[in-house]
Amino acid sequence: MAKIDDIAELLVEELSDFKLQLEKMKHLSHELKMTQLSPDMTEMSSVLNSFVKSQDIVLREQHTKISQLTKNLSKSNHYPRWLLVLLSSVLLFTFCLVSYSIYEIKVSSDANFNYYEKGQKEAMHHFKNFFEEYPEAKDKYLKWNTNRN
């Protein structure tokens, strides 16, 4: 029985310690709830300010580089000079060739017309001489020509 009394006494003692610890925890919890925390933001704000300043510097540098690049691109040629010269030369050569061809066609058609007239006159002269040499052929031709119409 003594053992049960000892165990009961130990149990009562442990329960009273537990109650004491509970009271302390309630008191600490109440103090924790009442305590106001104010975080120290000075270090964080100084870090953020330095970062913002460095970003501003980088942003200004980028802006000046982009504006310089834009100026350079607006001044630059989009096609190489040699290509423009080559294209101009080819176009000029083509224009000259077409102009010369048109001129030659015109001259040759005029020459052909002159040769046609000359040939027609020679043929008429030849027929006239033939009809003068052979008057019976002329009479047959005139008879044939009147029958044809």
Side-chain angles (χ1 to χ4, degrees):
M1 241 345 188
K3 283 190 175 183
I4 293 182
D5 286 337
D6 285 341
I7 292 176
E9 195 177 312
L10 258 169
L11 192 57
V12 168
E13 215 175 283
E14 287 296 321
L15 282 175
S16 66
D17 278 344
F18 184 69
K19 189 176 179 185
L20 238 172
Q21 292 297 328
L22 258 177
E23 289 296 322
K24 280 184 181 178
M25 281 183 73
K26 281 182 185 178
H27 179 67
L28 286 174
S29 174
H30 180 68
E31 279 184 24
L32 208 81
K33 286 181 182 176
M34 293 308 212
T35 305
Q36 293 182 355
L37 292 176
S38 58
D40 187 18
M41 296 292 290
T42 57
E43 187 177 333
M44 187 177 268
S45 66
S46 69
V47 168
L48 284 175
N49 284 337
S50 68
F51 179 72
V52 166
K53 286 178 185 177
S54 68
Q55 286 301 310
D56 282 342
I57 291 170
V58 167
L59 192 67
R60 275 190 228 118
E61 288 175 358
Q62 286 178 351
H63 181 70
T64 56
K65 286 179 182 178
I66 287 176
S67 65
Q68 186 66 29
L69 181 67
T70 304
K71 284 180 186 177
N72 289 343
L73 283 177
S74 66
K75 290 179 183 178
S76 71
N77 288 335
H78 297 285
Y79 303 106
R81 230 174 254 251
W82 64 267
L83 184 65
L84 294 175
V85 169
L86 180 68
L87 182 64
S88 302
S89 301
V90 167
L91 288 175
L92 182 65
F93 178 74
T94 304
F95 176 73
C96 290
L97 185 68
V98 168
S99 299
Y100 181 73
S101 298
I102 290 171
Y103 171 75
E104 282 297 317
I105 289 171
K106 175 80 171 140
V107 167
S108 68
S109 68
D110 289 346
N112 286 342
F113 184 71
N114 290 338
Y115 289 140
Y116 172 76
E117 285 182 345
K118 183 180 175 185
Q120 191 177 18
K121 285 180 186 175
E122 285 178 4
M124 294 303 276
H125 180 64
H126 177 72
F127 286 135
K128 187 177 178 183
N129 286 339
F130 177 78
F131 285 145
E132 284 176 2
E133 283 183 34
Y134 302 102
E136 64 272 356
K138 182 179 181 182
D139 292 337
K140 287 181 182 180
Y141 171 73
L142 289 175
K143 184 179 175 185
W144 172 79
N145 195 17
T146 54
N147 285 342
R148 195 179 67 144
N149 289 334

